[in-house]
Amino acid sequence: DAGVIQSPRHEVTEMGQEVTLRCKPISGHNSLFWYRQTMMRGLELLIYFNNNVPIDDSGMPEDRFSAKMPNASFSTLKIQPSEPRDSAVYFCASSFGSGDEQYFGPGTRLTVT
Amino acid sequence: AQSVTQLDSHVSVSEGTPVLLRCNYSSSYSPSLFWYVQHPNKGLQLLLKYTSAATLVKGINGFEAEFKKSETSFHLTKPSAHMSDAAEYFCVVNFNAGTALIFGKGTTLSVSS
């Protein structure tokens, strides 16, 4: 298995632009998680899905952030409009169930100038 | 409230000396417990997990952790540190099946020659 796949690996954009991060979970996994990691705040859970349904989005910082999972093999995290404080590494992870061990993707390093 | 606490934000050891990274959790029940490692500019990788089988759990790269219910602890150890062990280590807990994992704030391990 290729593991969790994230794209792009690096993204540099200007403030106000829309950013879309993509994730392909491990085949057969039913839960998918989006995290954000910064030096200041550490690792934060943004949102997670079970069977393509959002279960907890309380970690989404504000309405500029949205996430979708249209099918079992694909998810997106969108930021519109982006701001410099959104600069971080965004990780996607998947697992068989929400309480099982998670497998992380390599992350997307987002820089908003 | 259920929580996980990593007692040290930073641990420094010399190569060849033992490693101890401490983790405590607060819960009335026996949760599932994990340790993850994150090397610089990499995603998180599962080191080991405890799920109510043997209390001493062996993981990858010579690490192990012991679940002590009476102390509500799950400390990570390694007999002899290697330079390649320098990384961020996260203690992770699942308190209720069907809910997301809870990550500790991480411990940075530095290894000097």
Side-chain angles (χ1 to χ4, degrees):
Chain A
D1 198 317
V4 176
I5 298 173
Q6 291 187 247
S7 64
R9 294 292 309 276
H10 300 274
E11 176 81 32
V12 180
T13 191
E14 292 182 347
M15 182 175 60
Q17 296 297 306
E18 177 181 294
V19 175
T20 300
L21 311 182
R22 296 174 176 80
C23 176
K24 176 179 169 56
I26 293 173
S27 177
H29 282 188
N30 298 314
S31 297
L32 182 140
F33 306 80
W34 283 101
Y35 293 89
R36 178 173 68 178
Q37 188 176 41
T38 62
M39 290 292 291
M40 290 294 293
R41 292 188 297 270
L43 189 68
E44 304 171 279
L45 175 64
L46 300 177
I47 184 171
Y48 78 94
F49 296 83
N50 273 353
N51 297 315
N52 313 336
V53 176
I55 301 301
D56 184 355
D57 65 355
S58 60
M60 296 286 262
E62 46 196 280
D63 292 344
R64 297 184 296 106
F65 286 69
S66 62
K68 294 182 179 179
M69 192 165 186
N71 56 62
S73 59
F74 183 65
S75 177
T76 60
L77 177 67
K78 186 175 293 186
I79 308 172
Q80 167 63 20
S82 59
E83 297 182 3
R85 59 193 169 119
D86 302 330
S87 297
V89 180
Y90 291 81
F91 288 104
C92 176
S94 69
S95 64
F96 283 110
S98 57
D100 296 326
E101 66 264 31
Q102 296 175 16
Y103 295 83
F104 282 74
T108 295
R109 183 174 296 276
L110 173 65
T111 302
V112 183
T113 60
Chain B
Q2 296 168 328
S3 64
V4 55
T5 302
Q6 293 185 241
L7 295 156
D8 307 292
S9 59
H10 194 188
V11 170
S12 296
V13 301
S14 299
E15 192 174 21
T17 63
V19 175
L20 170 64
L21 305 183
R22 298 182 294 166
C23 174
N24 285 92
Y25 65 92
S26 62
S27 174
S28 302
Y29 306 98
S30 295
S32 297
L33 298 153
F34 311 81
W35 275 98
Y36 280 79
V37 60
Q38 183 181 25
H39 287 94
N41 301 312
K42 300 289 187 183
L44 280 73
Q45 179 186 17
L46 180 67
L47 261 184
L48 50 81
K49 65 177 179 179
Y50 166 78
T51 54
S52 75
T55 56
L56 183 62
V57 182
K58 294 189 182 299
I60 62 173
N61 301 332
F63 283 93
E64 62 183 33
E66 185 172 9
F67 171 67
K68 292 187 177 180
K69 185 175 181 178
S70 61
E71 299 176 10
T72 59
S73 69
F74 190 57
H75 300 336
L76 181 70
T77 60
K78 183 174 180 177
S80 176
H82 191 272
M83 296 294 287
S84 60
D85 295 328
E88 184 92 9
Y89 291 81
F90 293 91
C91 181
V92 184
V93 184
N94 177 239
F95 292 108
N96 300 300
T99 62
L101 303 181
I102 298 176
F103 283 72
K105 293 190 180 299
T107 298
T108 301
L109 175 66
S110 299
V111 182
S112 58
S113 57

